[in-house]
Amino acid sequence: MYYLIVFCNAIVLALMAMYIYENERRIKEISATHNKTGGQILDKRVAFHARLSTDVTLGSSQTVIFDDVITNIGSAYDFRTGHFTSPNDGVYFFASTFLKTGSSSSLHLQMIKNNDMISQGHAASGDFEAGSMNALVSLKRGDSVLVRHHAGSGIESIHGGWGFFSGYQVY
């Protein structure tokens, strides 16, 4: 019985030593980051949500600029250009919802990563039909994601106040 107690105590001491070692390593890592940033810990959280404020008539491949920014944690979405630029490598989720105007026959939009289409959405003909699209995509720092009008769709209109573009870093 005595040997069992000694063995259990040895295991507990080994686990405690591992715990202390890991915490000391983490403290050194945080301190190094703290020193490199002039005393600020960098926050890598990224999320945005923006709304289209007015009706827009779109030409071929025209970027939709969601100009009313509601949330922009990490400042990665640019309301002047409509581009999201990834500040970190990682996996991101994006979504867009939209409503075509009554005067437009239909509406065709694409979600673009750099120059490649990663999702597309369509609002059918009829009065004020809605569409949506989303994508889960791996990005490198500096990659760009935007929503644009589908090339070759002719002139179509998107209803302001009912169009949104959102995204966030999953990990």
Side-chain angles (χ1 to χ4, degrees):
M1 181 71 168
Y2 173 75
Y3 294 109
L4 183 59
I5 293 171
V6 169
F7 179 72
C8 289
N9 284 338
I11 290 175
V12 168
L13 286 173
L15 290 172
M16 288 175 61
M18 288 173 34
Y19 177 78
I20 290 168
Y21 171 80
E22 182 58 27
N23 282 337
E24 287 177 350
R25 187 195 64 75
R26 182 70 179 126
I27 288 169
K28 287 178 185 176
E29 183 181 291
I30 290 170
S31 294
T33 301
H34 182 73
N35 292 337
K36 288 179 186 174
T37 61
Q40 296 177 347
I41 302 296
L42 297 177
D43 185 357
K44 290 189 172 190
R45 293 179 298 174
V46 179
F48 77 96
H49 181 64
R51 180 178 71 93
L52 183 66
S53 65
T54 61
D55 291 4
V56 177
T57 300
L58 299 167
S60 183
S61 299
Q62 181 178 337
T63 299
V64 180
I65 300 174
F66 298 86
D67 57 328
D68 181 15
V69 176
I70 298 163
T71 301
N72 200 6
I73 299 166
S75 301
Y77 178 74
D78 186 340
F79 70 94
R80 294 174 301 264
T81 64
H83 290 233
F84 169 87
T85 304
S86 174
N88 311 311
D89 292 358
V91 174
Y92 291 79
F93 178 79
F94 296 95
S96 181
T97 58
F98 47 90
L99 185 70
K100 71 169 203 61
T101 63
S103 64
S104 187
S105 61
S106 60
L107 180 59
H108 301 82
L109 297 181
Q110 299 176 312
M111 196 175 290
I112 304 296
K113 171 190 167 185
N114 299 328
N115 290 312
D116 299 322
M117 193 255 310
I118 57 174
S119 187
Q120 56 188 352
H122 172 253
S125 60
D127 287 338
F128 299 101
E129 293 291 329
S132 66
M133 58 187 161
N134 56 57
L136 184 65
V137 62
S138 179
L139 299 179
K140 296 289 186 195
R141 184 174 187 211
D143 283 346
S144 177
V145 175
L146 58 95
V147 173
R148 76 174 185 198
H149 188 229
H150 189 278
S153 291
I155 295 175
E156 298 175 331
S157 296
I158 184 171
H159 197 304
W162 294 88
F164 295 88
F165 182 32
S166 305
Y168 59 90
Q169 185 171 0
V170 177
Y171 62 88

